[in-house]
Amino acid sequence: GDSVTQMEGPVTLSEEAFLTINCTYTATGYPSLFWYVQYPGEGLQLLLKATKADDKGSNKGFEATYRKETTSFHLEKGSVQVSDSAVYFCALSAYQGGKLIFGQGTELSVKP
Amino acid sequence: DAGVIQSPRHEVTEMGQEVTLRCKPISGHDYLFWYRQTMMRGLELLIYFNNNVPIDDSGMPEDRFSAKMPNASFSTLKIQPSEPRDSAVYFCASSLAGSYNEQFFGPGTRLTVL
């Protein structure tokens, strides 16, 4: 079945460091891919998305490129801030009108 | 524009009691999802509805859990009787068909069963 695998956390970085959180997926067809972020005490919110191969999603300095050949959707940011500390979830939707398949989440902690 | 609304935000109850969690999706959204989040099991999809009809309830842990959606603007998740292992944060989310399944989450209900 469809699945999403994320790198395990927690990831601890110093402010202004470069961030990569790896995400790979298994799916039939051509899924849409998402990154959601969950700040402490809050619900998940959409960070960025990509709906077809080679699309790049971007928001708030974060980017991810939909790579069909490697079935990956890695999240990157060039310079993290303390306020980026949160849990990040990679997800896919395999077809319109259905559920999202989430990865297990990766906790990011950014130290000043 | 109001997002997904959940109530209560916190609920503390004793084992054996009935618990009802409530959700109001974003107006016009036709999908509604109930999730549970714990440290041990992460984020789990319990059930989801399309146009008020349950589509997949395979994630509902057992018969003690039930969910309803009597109309497009309201859903409930009920646990009867509650047990300490039900303690978790319960999220409701909604989405619109044709939007690549982008889901909007509510703030969650933190349930503690003593």
Side-chain angles (χ1 to χ4, degrees):
Chain A
D2 299 338
S3 66
V4 175
T5 302
Q6 293 180 231
M7 64 186 285
E8 288 195 19
V11 174
T12 302
L13 296 174
S14 297
E15 207 165 22
E16 300 183 2
F18 185 86
L19 168 71
T20 300
I21 300 179
N22 290 337
C23 170
T24 57
Y25 68 90
T26 301
T28 55
Y30 303 94
S32 294
L33 302 174
F34 305 83
W35 278 100
Y36 280 79
V37 58
Q38 184 180 28
Y39 298 104
E42 298 184 10
L44 281 70
Q45 55 186 274
L46 180 68
L47 180 60
L48 54 84
K49 68 182 179 186
T51 58
K52 61 183 187 296
D54 300 326
D55 268 3
K56 178 185 284 188
S58 61
N59 186 25
K60 300 180 180 180
F62 291 89
E63 294 183 337
T65 301
Y66 187 163
R67 301 287 189 198
K68 194 173 190 315
E69 63 277 10
T70 54
T71 61
S72 64
F73 193 55
H74 304 322
L75 182 68
E76 297 182 335
K77 187 174 185 182
S79 176
V80 294
Q81 304 300 312
V82 173
S83 58
D84 294 327
S85 298
V87 180
Y88 292 81
F89 292 87
C90 185
L92 70 83
S93 67
Y95 55 93
Q96 279 293 312
K99 61 187 180 184
L100 290 177
I101 307 297
F102 283 94
Q104 73 271 34
T106 301
E107 182 181 358
L108 170 66
S109 177
V110 181
K111 305 299 184 185
Chain B
D1 188 20
V4 175
I5 299 172
Q6 292 188 247
S7 64
R9 292 294 310 275
H10 302 273
E11 176 81 31
V12 179
T13 190
E14 293 191 345
M15 182 173 64
Q17 296 299 305
E18 177 179 297
V19 175
T20 299
L21 310 181
R22 296 172 176 81
C23 175
K24 176 179 169 57
I26 293 173
S27 177
H29 281 191
D30 43 11
Y31 284 87
L32 184 139
F33 304 82
W34 281 103
Y35 292 89
R36 177 172 70 175
Q37 187 177 39
T38 62
M39 289 293 293
M40 290 294 293
R41 301 171 72 94
L43 188 67
E44 303 173 275
L45 176 65
L46 300 178
I47 184 171
Y48 76 97
F49 297 82
N50 177 219
N51 292 323
N52 314 336
V53 176
I55 302 301
D56 183 352
D57 66 354
S58 60
M60 295 285 262
E62 50 198 272
D63 291 346
R64 298 185 296 107
F65 286 69
S66 62
K68 294 183 179 179
M69 193 165 185
N71 57 63
S73 58
F74 183 65
S75 177
T76 60
L77 178 68
K78 185 176 294 186
I79 308 173
Q80 166 62 18
S82 58
E83 296 183 3
R85 61 192 167 118
D86 302 330
S87 297
V89 180
Y90 291 81
F91 290 103
C92 177
S94 68
S95 69
L96 181 65
S99 65
Y100 296 100
N101 302 340
E102 176 183 341
Q103 293 184 14
F104 294 81
F105 281 73
T109 295
R110 180 174 294 278
L111 173 65
T112 303
V113 183
L114 303 175

